[in-house]
Amino acid sequence: EKVIKMATKSIYKHMAEEAKEATSVISQSRADIAMPTTCLKNAMTDLATKRILHKGIPAMRITSSRGFWKARIITLSSDKLAFFVTHKEIPQDVPSQLASVLPIPFWTPSKGFQWTNDSSRYTRYVDIADIDAWQEGVIGTMALECSKAPIKEDVIPQILTIFHHGFRSVSFRIPDKNHRKAIIHTLSIMKARYNLMVSWISNEQLLLRYINYDIDVDKNGLIDSREFSEICKRINLELPNG
């Protein structure tokens, strides 16, 4: 009985600390009314992360269709809401909203010519909200199992797989141990902070954040009158004329 009481007390204390942290972040967001931001964005940006993640970490990504390792750059967005996966380095101040305009190759051997801006064909970014889990040092996906070149034992510890959108995955080989640790640690604190904040933020705010990926056409992080009208249409809200 004493152990149960102590455990219960510890749980309540932890819940109180989480509530205090979330309330503090939300209060700061409301005080800064001049900025077009959300409580979630403020909470995520406040996280302490390694500078190297914003500069870009070199990695090898295994292609899902052919099983080849291809050079990629993993970069943390400036608002710490997403990881970008690109062929080349990108500026350090790119927010997650600009994910849909990241450069992609005009032609690749596996997917041919790229005529449209189709994000479903290329994993150019992974948003923290869509990340389900990750694992290190495991050959746990079909792409890894079907690798054209056998994966040697000394390479397995370098593998990091991120599972997202429920059924999709992206696997990397990151030779630098410190780089791997930095990404895994950042994934952990990002997911913990996101899970903490979503229960304090309305579903409407979260919905608008996802819509912003597609609606913010000029990708300046702001919503003009035309883009706002498109948002209203997306959520079936009729606006009066004029």
Side-chain angles (χ1 to χ4, degrees):
E1 184 178 350
K2 185 177 180 180
V3 173
I4 295 176
K5 288 183 177 179
M6 291 178 63
T8 304
K9 184 178 180 180
S10 176
I11 293 173
Y12 282 135
K13 182 179 179 181
H14 180 67
M15 291 174 62
E17 290 175 351
E18 285 191 341
K20 184 178 180 180
E21 180 182 357
T23 303
S24 174
V25 174
I26 291 173
S27 298
Q28 292 174 10
S29 300
R30 289 173 176 169
D32 192 11
I33 59 175
M35 294 295 292
T37 186
T38 63
C39 302
L40 177 62
K41 182 177 179 180
N42 283 349
M44 300 302 292
T45 305
D46 188 55
L47 290 172
T49 53
K50 297 287 187 180
R51 184 176 299 179
I52 185 62
L53 292 171
H54 298 281
K55 290 183 176 181
I57 288 179
M60 301 296 291
R61 180 197 169 186
I62 192 166
T63 58
S64 57
S65 57
R66 295 196 173 193
F68 292 118
W69 291 100
K70 299 294 183 179
R72 295 291 184 267
I73 302 294
I74 305 173
T75 310
L76 180 62
S77 65
S78 60
D79 53 16
K80 302 172 186 177
L81 283 163
F83 278 100
F84 301 133
V85 182
T86 55
H87 291 68
K88 299 180 180 180
E89 292 184 358
I90 60 175
Q92 298 181 34
D93 57 349
V94 178
S96 57
Q97 290 94 334
L98 300 188
S100 61
V101 296
L102 290 175
I104 57 176
F106 180 66
W107 180 87
T108 63
S110 60
K111 294 182 173 63
F113 288 99
Q114 173 73 2
W115 302 109
T116 61
N117 191 23
D118 185 2
S119 61
S120 64
R121 298 181 71 204
Y122 295 90
T123 303
R124 291 171 292 162
Y125 70 96
V126 183
D127 189 277
I128 189 60
D130 301 320
I131 294 178
D132 303 307
W134 56 89
Q135 62 184 16
E136 178 188 16
V138 178
I139 301 178
T141 67
M142 185 68 71
L144 291 171
E145 291 178 355
C146 298
S147 174
K148 294 298 182 180
I151 300 176
K152 299 179 180 180
E153 288 294 328
D154 60 337
V155 173
I156 294 178
Q158 303 174 8
I159 295 176
L160 172 64
T161 300
I162 298 176
F163 300 94
H164 58 100
H165 290 92
F167 62 94
R168 298 173 63 184
S169 65
V170 55
S171 296
F172 303 97
R173 178 161 60 86
I174 309 172
D176 191 301
K177 182 178 180 181
N178 292 328
H179 288 172
R180 289 198 308 275
K181 290 177 62 177
I183 292 179
I184 293 172
H185 172 71
T186 302
L187 281 169
S188 299
I189 62 175
M190 285 172 62
K191 198 61 179 178
R193 177 63 62 88
Y194 179 82
N195 289 341
L196 168 67
M197 294 304 300
V198 289
S199 60
W200 292 80
I201 299 174
S202 67
N203 291 332
E204 289 79 8
Q205 280 185 292
L206 295 176
L207 175 62
L208 292 178
R209 175 173 172 261
Y210 289 120
I211 291 176
N212 190 54
Y213 272 118
D214 301 321
I215 296 298
D216 186 16
V217 179
D218 50 16
K219 303 304 172 185
N220 61 357
L222 304 174
I223 301 296
D224 59 26
S225 58
R226 182 185 59 79
E227 292 170 343
F228 180 75
S229 178
E230 290 296 321
I231 289 178
C232 292
K233 290 180 182 179
R234 187 75 66 87
I235 60 177
N236 299 319
L237 177 63
E238 294 289 337
L239 291 179
N241 293 330

